[in-house]
Amino acid sequence: MAEEHIILKNIHKGFHRNEDTPTIALDDVTLTIKKGEFVSLLGPSGCGKSTLLNIIAGLEKESSGSLLVNDRPIKGPGNDRIVVFQESGLFPWMSVLDNVMYGLLIKKVPKEEANKRAMDWLQKVHLGKFANSMPHELSGGMKQRVAIARALVMDPEILLMDEPFAALDEQTRMVLHKELEKIWRETGKTIIFVTHNIREAVVLSDRIVLMKTRPGGIKNIFPVQAARPRISSDSLLIHLENRILTELEQEMEKVLKEELGSDYALKTDHLRVDPHSNMGSDI
C-alpha cells in the first residue's frame, strides 16, 4: 500500500481584507494524498483550489487545521515542493538552458553538474535543440515545457501545478498531457494539478477532488479507474465526465445565484457545457 505523502486535516483559511467579516476561502478541508499519486483539484473559480495549492506549497499559511508532508508540519516553501504556474515565469534575459539551471546554481550546485542536469531535463521535454534560445523565441507550449523542466531539475518529491496548460490551444494541451503523464510515470512524483477542465482532469488523474463554491471545501472525490494510457473517447471516462459535470453544474448555479442575486433566473439546463472547456474560469 502506498504511503501517505500529504495529509490535510480540517484546513481553514480566511482572508482579512478589512475590518468587516473575513472572506472564508477554505473551510474544513480534509484530504490524504498518497506518494506517487496524481490528484486534480477541480471546481468553479473562487472555490479555493489555488489557495489550497499555495498552502501545500508553503506560500500561504492556513488559518487553522494541520498540514503534514512526510509526517512533518509545513512551515514554508521547500525544495521538496515546486510549483508550476499558468504563466511560465521564465526570465526573458536568460537562455532556456540558463533558466532551467537557475535554481540549481542558487543552491550552489557546481555549474558543470547543473548544466548536465538541465540539459538532461531539456532532452526529456524534447527541447534540447532550443537550449540556447531565448524565451521570446518559443511558443506557449514550449515555454511551459521549459517551466516543467525547471521545476523537475530540482528533483522535488511533489510537483504542484496551477492550471499550467490553461492558456494553450487544445492540440498543444493534448501533446503536453501525454508528455506530463510520461514524466509522472517515469519519475513517480506526487502531482497535485489545479484545473477548470473536466476532460483534462479525467485523462490525467488517479483521483479528482471536486471542490464546492466558497467557502471552499470538498464536495466529492472521484477515483479514475480507467487503464493508462487513456483516450478521451473511452466510455468509462465519458461516463465519469458526465457525473462530474452534473455535480459541478450545481456549484456553478450557486455562483450565479450569488453573483446575480434577485436577477437570477437561469435554469440548470442552460448551464450545460462541453466538459473539456474551462468551466467557470471566467467568473
Side-chain angles (χ1 to χ4, degrees), residues 43-49 163 196 213-214 252 255 279-283:
S45 285
C47 70
K49 302 183 298 296
E163 298 193 71
H196 282 97
T213 191
R214 188 179 297 157
M252 290 297 301
V255 173
M279 185 175 186
S281 61
D282 296 325
I283 293 180

Side-chain angles (χ1 to χ4, degrees), residues 129-143:
K129 294 180 179 179
F130 294 88
N132 295 320
S133 298
M134 302 301 288
H136 74 269
E137 299 175 301
L138 306 182
S139 68
M142 293 166 74
K143 289 177 183 177

Side-chain angles (χ1 to χ4, degrees), residues 158-209:
I158 300 166
L159 187 62
L160 304 166
M161 309 188 80
D162 194 356
E163 298 193 71
F165 309 142
L168 305 178
D169 64 85
E170 188 64 21
Q171 290 180 336
T172 303
R173 288 167 75 110
M174 290 171 63
V175 170
L176 291 181
H177 289 167
K178 291 180 180 179
E179 291 193 358
L180 178 60
E181 182 178 11
K182 183 174 183 290
I183 289 169
W184 169 68
R185 290 169 70 103
E186 290 177 350
T187 63
K189 303 295 184 188
T190 301
I191 297 181
I192 304 176
F193 189 95
V194 168
T195 182
H196 282 97
N197 190 304
I198 302 174
R199 179 71 49 84
E200 183 169 68
V202 166
V203 168
L204 289 174
S205 310
D206 291 322
R207 286 189 298 158
I208 299 168
V209 177

Side-chain angles (χ1 to χ4, degrees), residues 11-207:
I11 295 293
H12 178 93
K13 178 64 176 179
F15 292 98
H16 293 268
R17 304 189 190 281
N18 49 48
E19 295 181 358
D20 297 333
T21 303
T23 299
I24 307 302
L26 295 169
D27 186 33
D28 196 28
V29 173
T30 295
L31 177 67
T32 298
I33 297 172
K34 296 177 181 177
K35 192 173 186 65
E37 193 173 17
F38 195 126
V39 174
S40 286
L41 305 179
L42 179 70
S45 285
C47 70
K49 302 183 298 296
S50 293
T51 299
L52 185 58
L53 196 81
N54 287 337
I55 289 173
I56 297 171
L59 300 175
E60 293 185 25
K61 175 68 176 173
E62 66 275 13
S63 301
S64 63
S66 64
L67 166 61
L68 300 177
V69 174
N70 292 323
D71 293 323
R72 297 191 301 271
I74 294 303
K75 297 181 179 179
N79 290 333
D80 59 332
R81 291 156 284 123
I82 302 291
V83 184
V84 176
F85 296 100
Q86 182 174 339
E87 298 294 332
S88 63
L90 302 180
F91 298 124
W93 59 88
M94 289 185 180
S95 69
V96 166
L97 179 61
D98 287 340
N99 266 283
V100 177
M101 289 174 56
Y102 181 76
L104 295 174
L105 296 178
I106 291 295
K107 291 296 178 183
K108 307 299 183 184
V109 174
K111 188 171 184 178
E112 185 176 347
E113 180 185 346
N115 187 294
K116 182 181 183 305
R117 286 169 60 178
M119 280 302 303
D120 284 346
W121 269 108
L122 284 174
Q123 295 287 351
K124 288 178 183 178
V125 297
H126 312 295
L127 288 175
K129 294 180 179 179
F130 294 88
N132 295 320
S133 298
M134 302 301 288
H136 74 269
E137 299 175 301
L138 306 182
S139 68
M142 293 166 74
K143 289 177 183 177
Q144 283 303 85
R145 280 189 273 165
V146 175
I148 291 169
R150 182 178 59 182
L152 289 172
V153 77
M154 303 300 294
D155 196 25
E157 294 182 16
I158 300 166
L159 187 62
L160 304 166
M161 309 188 80
D162 194 356
E163 298 193 71
F165 309 142
L168 305 178
D169 64 85
E170 188 64 21
Q171 290 180 336
T172 303
R173 288 167 75 110
M174 290 171 63
V175 170
L176 291 181
H177 289 167
K178 291 180 180 179
E179 291 193 358
L180 178 60
E181 182 178 11
K182 183 174 183 290
I183 289 169
W184 169 68
R185 290 169 70 103
E186 290 177 350
T187 63
K189 303 295 184 188
T190 301
I191 297 181
I192 304 176
F193 189 95
V194 168
T195 182
H196 282 97
N197 190 304
I198 302 174
R199 179 71 49 84
E200 183 169 68
V202 166
V203 168
L204 289 174
S205 310
D206 291 322
R207 286 189 298 158

